[in-house]
Amino acid sequence: MDDIFELGGKAFASRFILGSGKFSLPLVQAVTEQGGAQMITLALRRANAGGQENILDFIPPDVTIIPNTSGARDAEEAVRIARLARALGCGDFVKVEIMRDTRYLLPENAETIHATEILATEGFAVLPYVYPDLAVARALKAAGAAAVMPLGAPIGSNKGLLTREFIEILVREIDLPILVDAGIGRPSHACEAMELGCAAVMCNTAVATAGDPAVMARAFKLAIEAGRAAYLARPGRVLEHGAEASSPLTGFLDE
Amino acid sequence: MSSFDYLPGMQEIDSDSLPRVQALLREFSPETCTEENVRAALACSAPSIADFAALLSPAALPLLEEIAQAAQAQTRRWHGNSVGLYTPLYIANYCENHCSYCGFSCHQDITRTKLSMEDLRRRAEEIAATGLQEILLLTGESRSESSVDYIAQAIALLHNYFPAIGIEIYPLNCDEYATLQQAGADYVSVYQETYDPVLYDKVHVQGPKRCYPYRFYAQERALLGGMRGVSFGALLGLGDWRRDIFAAGLHAYFTQRKHPQAEIAFSLPRMRPHSRVSERELTQAMLALRLLMPQAGIAISTRERPALRDAAVRLAATKMSAGVRTSVSEQDDPQFTIADSRSVSEIHDMLKNNGLQPVYLDYV
């Protein structure tokens, strides 16, 4: 069965979005290949187009680049960075990241909605990085976002799906792909997110800081595929209190 | 004049960071910290101010290897293996301050000069040819010779060559920082030299730098003026380094709490060539700051020998200068002597050989 992931008008076979920060650039290619990633995010502030150590030179050509607005402190700055990325030839995708907190790097939801509105109008496929908040996700949908990227835990923390309950609500209620971003520290976390029905998982630190990043990328690929297959297979119910007879309440009807 | 008096024209802002830092500094007694305190600091995920004190204490020295491992893990988590490269660019060395420890001090018999815009263009071209994209512009502290207008003009010119520009100049008022930010600067470094008010008063003999609180609040004024990042530090060896690093850490900590969007950085210059602060102690200071503020940038000075700088970027430092000159021109006297004269390409290769990623630009 073909299980194609559509995002921003493009079709992808892989549901693993790789972050490119924190790597030694020569590793980026091996990690992308081993992870089978077809999308890679890129902090435009680090791109150094035309200069030394330009990350764009290290990304395999068939991989879709998703520039992010890292460094933006409000909607205006995010919009400026997104336009710059497009002008540099990075395409129409943009991951909107707006932070006014350098200690925890937590997203600024209100500004993110505002930037999403502007960028969606300009034809960008906007992937906003936010807290998993239902009202915010609805506003993003109305603003024209191509997906919603809720955080699983603080960026770089490798703590996993601390916001699991709220991400599940988004998966149920929002008619957009939900891509979990930030906090995914282990392949098992990525697998869990996919089992919940998330459309894709993005991860960076967990791979970049692994002892062997390429092997870890492959582990994530397998975990994401396993979680996706489990979701499509529709898992059986989880029983809260021990075993259960097959029809304990309505059995009398057959007596 | 007391070193707590503002001079005419110096802007006062509404902030309580200074009394908070001073109160904590008075209670700081590193000699009473125990190994248990240090182990507790290492065990927690977010060190408190008391934990920071323990990490700076003499009791932490025997545990330096464990502290280094914890600090390195935080560095990798927050900064990956990136190390930013930049170079200082001295555009003038006039100074109105008499500071008893400084090579640029107004009573030092050195050649005073400043670059014309044409000189500056040539220097910018030379530096840009090395591939660097970030510079730190420095002047001596002279409002009359290196006016805000002159500095703004220099920044505007340099912005054609370097997307990222930091400044290390005399402290300004908010509107003046705003002027320089609009000209193209985005980062401000101001070092308090020492946080000990008595010593501060003693070594800053003459000039506007005597005003301790005006210097102390420079970072906050810079942020209010729209600057993106600010750097903190003390001249290690001038006073008691443990007290000065404790205060510098808290200064940054309280500034960031008030201005959560601020990008925070530290620099830890040691007085050279003969230092009262050992390399082991310098390393301890750097690691303690890393654990207190894992997100902060840490720069490692060319005052230090190559082996120490290379070790610093493996542990905690995230920024290093390369191809450094600490004078305005080749003929002038340097502000201080450097111990690491490696070129940009030599530093680049060293980083790569250590599995680290040289970063030339981190700004849009």
Side-chain angles (χ1 to χ4, degrees), chain A residues 21-27 44-53 58 70-73 77 80-81 84 99-105 154-159 205 208-209, chain B residues 46-47 76-82 130-133 181 187 226-228 253 256 260-264 292-295 344 348 352 355-364:
Chain A
K22 304 183 178 177
F23 282 105
S24 287
L25 295 180
L27 270 177
L44 199 72
R45 62 186 292 177
R46 286 276 176 87
N48 200 18
Q52 291 191 67
E53 300 296 311
F58 293 83
S70 158
R73 294 168 294 183
E77 289 184 350
R80 179 174 70 84
I81 294 170
L84 208 69
M99 295 159 192
R100 294 187 63 74
D101 177 294
T102 58
R103 187 166 179 87
Y104 300 100
L105 300 176
I155 273 189
S157 68
N158 288 346
K159 286 184 176 171
T205 308
T209 62
Chain B
R76 295 294 157 256
R77 181 194 147 191
W78 284 85
H79 306 272
N81 47 15
S82 307
T130 66
L132 288 177
Q133 305 252 33
Q181 198 270 336
Y187 290 83
M227 292 286 178
R228 177 180 289 268
Y253 180 80
Q256 208 261 348
Q261 81 285 5
E263 293 185 1
I264 301 290
L292 176 72
M293 297 188 78
Q295 80 281 19
V344 175
H348 179 110
K352 289 251 168 165
L356 296 167
Q357 177 59 46
V359 172
Y360 286 84
L361 185 62
D362 190 12
Y363 178 73
V364 283

Side-chain angles (χ1 to χ4, degrees), chain B residues 14-225:
Chain B
D14 180 26
S15 179
D16 61 354
S17 302
L18 176 51
R20 291 178 86 173
V21 170
Q22 290 291 354
L24 286 159
L25 193 54
R26 280 192 292 274
E27 288 167 18
F28 177 56
S29 58
E31 54 294 331
T32 62
C33 292
T34 63
E35 185 184 321
E36 265 176 38
N37 298 143
V38 181
R39 290 205 181 278
L42 275 173
C44 67
S45 61
S48 65
I49 290 170
D51 292 323
F52 178 49
L55 292 167
L56 281 175
S57 73
L61 274 169
L63 300 174
L64 207 55
E65 181 59 32
E66 283 164 70
I67 296 172
Q69 286 172 16
Q72 185 188 47
Q74 286 287 34
T75 307
R76 295 294 157 256
R77 181 194 147 191
W78 284 85
H79 306 272
N81 47 15
S82 307
V83 179
L85 295 181
Y86 73 101
T87 207
L89 171 48
Y90 285 74
I91 66 166
N93 63 4
Y94 290 94
C95 196
E96 290 163 3
N97 295 311
H98 177 190
C99 310
S100 59
Y101 50 85
C102 178
F104 277 2
S105 177
C106 66
H107 292 314
Q108 295 278 1
D109 182 21
I110 62 168
T111 314
R112 299 290 170 172
T113 184
K114 67 178 177 188
L115 296 182
S116 68
M117 290 302 136
E118 200 36 56
D119 296 335
L120 189 59
R121 185 187 306 279
R122 271 196 295 275
R123 184 76 185 120
E125 280 166 5
E126 272 169 39
I127 296 173
T130 66
L132 288 177
Q133 305 252 33
E134 177 173 345
I135 50 150
L136 177 64
L137 179 153
L138 297 97
T139 62
E141 300 203 356
S142 170
R143 265 185 183 271
S144 55
E145 291 290 344
S146 314
S147 66
V148 173
D149 282 349
Y150 167 70
I151 296 169
Q153 215 184 337
I155 291 168
L157 190 156
L158 291 168
H159 207 41
N160 297 317
Y161 300 88
F162 308 103
I165 301 177
I167 51 173
E168 191 174 324
I169 61 169
Y170 50 89
L172 304 176
N173 291 344
C174 291
D175 59 335
E176 296 169 320
Y177 280 123
T179 300
L180 298 188
Q181 198 270 336
Q182 282 148 22
D186 233 354
Y187 290 83
V188 172
S189 294
V190 180
Y191 304 119
Q192 193 66 21
E193 319 296 8
T194 178
Y195 285 85
D196 172 353
V198 176
L199 181 65
Y200 189 93
D201 184 77
K202 192 175 142 204
V203 297
H204 298 108
V205 183
Q206 177 194 335
K209 192 170 174 179
R210 272 184 63 72
C211 182
Y212 182 114
Y214 186 67
R215 194 168 189 86
F216 184 95
Y217 285 124
Q219 285 90 349
E220 280 200 47
R221 291 194 306 276
L223 294 167
L224 292 168

